[in-house]
Each structure stands twice: as C-alpha cells, then as structure tokens.
Amino acid sequence: MAVKIRDVVNALGADVLSGEDGLDREIGVVISSDLVSDILCCRDEGAFLITGLAKIQILRAAEVIDLIGICFVRGKEPEREIVAYARQTGFPVITTAKTMYETCGRVYQLGAKSGEYIPPHKRE
Amino acid sequence: MGASEFIWTREGVDAEKIKGCKQQGEEEAVEIGRAIRGGDFANAGAGASEIKRVIKKLAITPQIVRRVAVSSFEAEVNVTVYAEEGTIDARVTPSCIYVVVKDRGPGIPDIEQAMQPGWTTATPEVREMGFGAGLGLPNIRSNVDYLKISSEVGEGTVLEFAIMLE
C-alpha cells in the first residue's frame, strides 16, 4: 500500500504547518538532502523531501520539480514566508524535532521507496 | 583573463535546428522575460517558476517542463549568487525552447573548470542557503540539448541553452 504524507505525520508525531488538505497525497519516493542542486537532480514522480534546510529557496526548488510535500527535521523553524507561501498554495509542509537520521529511518520503515540519485555528469 | 566561450551540443542533436531555434523566425513564439537581482535570494528562482507556469499550459511533456524548469532555476541562481544583476529570457517555439540568461558580474575566468562537478567559488553564506555545491552548470548541461556560455572577466556572462521539443 502506498505511503501517504499523513502516515509520515503519524509516524513522526510531526506538526503540520500547511497543506492539511494534501496529507492524503501518496508518496512516490522519498529524497533527503540539504543541497538545492542535489534535490534538483531528482527526476522521480511524486517525490517527498526530508531536509534540514528551512529556507524559501527549498520551496522554490520544490516547485521546480513538483515535490508533493516537505518535512523539516531537527525542529528547524521555517522562515515565516515559507509557511505563508505554502499555505497560499496548499502545499504540505510538516516539521519534526527528530534528527535527519531518525526521520529517514522511520519513514523507511513505513515502506516508502527511495528516490534515485544520479549525479549530473553520470547522466549524459 | 579576457573573453572565453564554451559550446556543447548533445550527441545526435542537429546543430542547424538549434540555429533555427535561436533566430527570430516565422514560427509563432511565446516569450517570457524577467530581471534578476544579485543577492536577492528571496526571489531566486522566480523567473524559472514563471517560465514553468507558462510552458505547463502548452502541450509540452512534464519531463521537458521539468528539464526547462531545473536548468532555468540553476542559471538564475548563478546570477543571484555571483552577479550584480541580470535577465532571464525564454523563447518557446513549436520546435524548441531557447533560454538566455545574461548578467553583469565578475565573469568566469575558466569555464571548463567551472563545468567540473564540485567546483565552486561560493561563499560559506551562500552554501548555508543550500547553494554553491558546484553542481549548477553540470546540472544544466545534463538537462539541455545545447549549451553555450560566453564570459568576459570583469564584465559578465551570457549563458544560453536549448531544449528540443521534437
């Protein structure tokens, strides 16, 4: 059965900051990175991002590759404009105090698949 | 020092077609343009978002939309990170998408080196924002069919790329 963002929220005890209506979106793959360029290498459909980078740039990158939602880890307080922007577009943003390691571990246990990472120079 | 140029065409892509794509022709075209301010990280990628919004409405596959959006985003971020100001202009014809990103900035002394994955001159502040991993230009090349970079040290850089629709 496909893992939904709601399952991640429950498994982590995460706070939902925006996009309540999108929590039943099914997660295609999960990616995890703090580097914008690495995130942009993702070509999978329906990717959900786990990151410690709570900046507006992440949301723009999310838009570029059609992420379905984001989880901020380590209790990162996202900038106010992130939450405002995400609410405006109904984009699911959740946050957890757990570490990157524990967050990824728990989401992996739910059965979510990993996104594929191919560095740009290996693609040509 | 001085001017330098880098041109790359994906194997199997017709160079003549790219020339046709770049030139103003008879073909109907959709044009999108936007200014980029150096250091304005809050708006970095806004031009790419706009281009994406526009081309999404045209009959273009999601894969191509993504390639255009990622390349435009990376090019725009480069201007935000390194230059004083710039512009991003996209031209969409039935056969291809041509994007030109121009800036007034420091230029790139050695483009071949800048194309190497991991090579970066970004400051720690920029890296803290998740940029400056040295993957921008390689990432652009992996997504486009044609890439041209012309740069003059102390003046600025023009980066152009094409993505074929046929």
Side-chain angles (χ1 to χ4, degrees):
Chain A
M1 223 175 66
V3 180
K4 294 176 174 177
I5 299 177
R6 188 180 303 284
D7 302 327
V8 174
V9 173
N10 293 338
L12 298 171
D15 292 324
V16 178
L17 301 180
S18 63
E20 285 82 356
D21 293 342
L23 295 184
D24 286 319
R25 288 182 187 172
E26 292 182 352
I27 295 175
V29 300
V30 178
I31 57 174
S32 162
S33 177
D34 286 354
L35 282 176
V36 173
S37 279
D38 272 350
I39 294 166
L40 293 176
C41 283
C42 172
R43 290 190 184 178
D44 294 294
E45 295 294 318
F48 180 78
L49 171 68
I50 299 172
T51 184
L53 191 70
K55 304 265 183 197
I56 189 79
Q57 292 82 359
I58 282 291
L59 227 63
R60 292 219 185 266
E63 223 170 39
V64 165
I65 58 162
D66 292 319
L67 292 181
I68 60 159
I70 294 180
C71 176
F72 292 124
V73 299
R74 302 191 291 267
K76 292 282 174 187
E77 198 68 42
E79 296 166 1
R80 201 175 302 163
E81 51 190 328
I82 291 191
V83 180
Y85 187 77
R87 283 194 180 141
Q88 215 182 322
T89 52
F91 182 77
V93 173
I94 66 174
T95 176
T96 175
K98 292 186 169 37
T99 60
M100 178 76 104
Y101 177 69
E102 188 177 353
T103 302
C104 291
R106 287 185 186 270
V107 175
Y108 188 83
Q109 272 185 326
L110 291 174
K113 275 195 302 184
S114 173
E116 193 180 27
Y117 176 76
I118 305 171
H121 58 286
K122 297 258 170 80
R123 288 183 189 274
E124 284 155 21
Chain B
M1 296 300 261
S4 53
E5 197 172 76
F6 173 94
I7 297 176
W8 175 84
T9 309
R10 183 175 299 282
E11 234 180 275
V13 173
D14 185 352
E16 280 307 305
K17 273 195 179 163
I18 288 171
K19 231 185 266 171
C21 165
K22 186 179 177 178
Q23 281 155 5
Q24 201 82 30
E26 296 294 307
E27 281 185 314
E28 56 177 297
V30 175
E31 288 178 8
I32 309 142
R34 205 187 158 95
I36 310 165
R37 273 176 305 183
D40 182 9
F41 288 98
N43 288 303
S49 294
E50 198 176 324
I51 292 169
K52 188 182 176 195
R53 250 194 317 277
V54 173
I55 64 172
K56 237 179 155 176
K57 292 183 195 143
L58 309 171
I60 294 172
T61 65
Q63 288 81 1
I64 290 185
V65 170
R66 181 181 290 204
R67 285 168 57 201
V68 173
V70 168
S71 318
S72 303
F73 185 92
E74 289 281 20
E76 205 181 346
V77 165
N78 278 345
V79 176
T80 309
V81 169
Y82 296 106
E84 288 162 48
E85 59 178 3
T87 51
I88 177 164
D89 290 281
R91 184 162 183 274
V92 188
T93 73
S95 57
C96 92
I97 298 174
Y98 202 90
V99 178
V100 180
V101 182
K102 257 185 225 176
D103 73 52
R104 192 166 62 80
I108 307 168
D110 186 342
I111 301 175
E112 291 284 348
Q113 188 175 43
M115 289 301 302
Q116 297 307 309
W119 170 262
T120 182
T121 57
T123 61
E125 289 75 23
V126 166
R127 286 161 159 265
E128 229 161 74
M129 284 186 274
F131 298 128
L135 287 172
L137 294 179
N139 223 353
I140 293 172
R141 175 160 63 174
S142 78
N143 279 289
V144 303
D145 295 317
Y146 166 82
L147 174 64
K148 179 179 173 190
I149 304 171
S150 325
S151 193
E152 200 165 340
V153 172
E155 295 291 327
T157 301
V158 181
L159 183 148
E160 305 168 45
F161 62 82
I163 292 173
M164 308 309 288
L165 296 175
E166 289 165 335

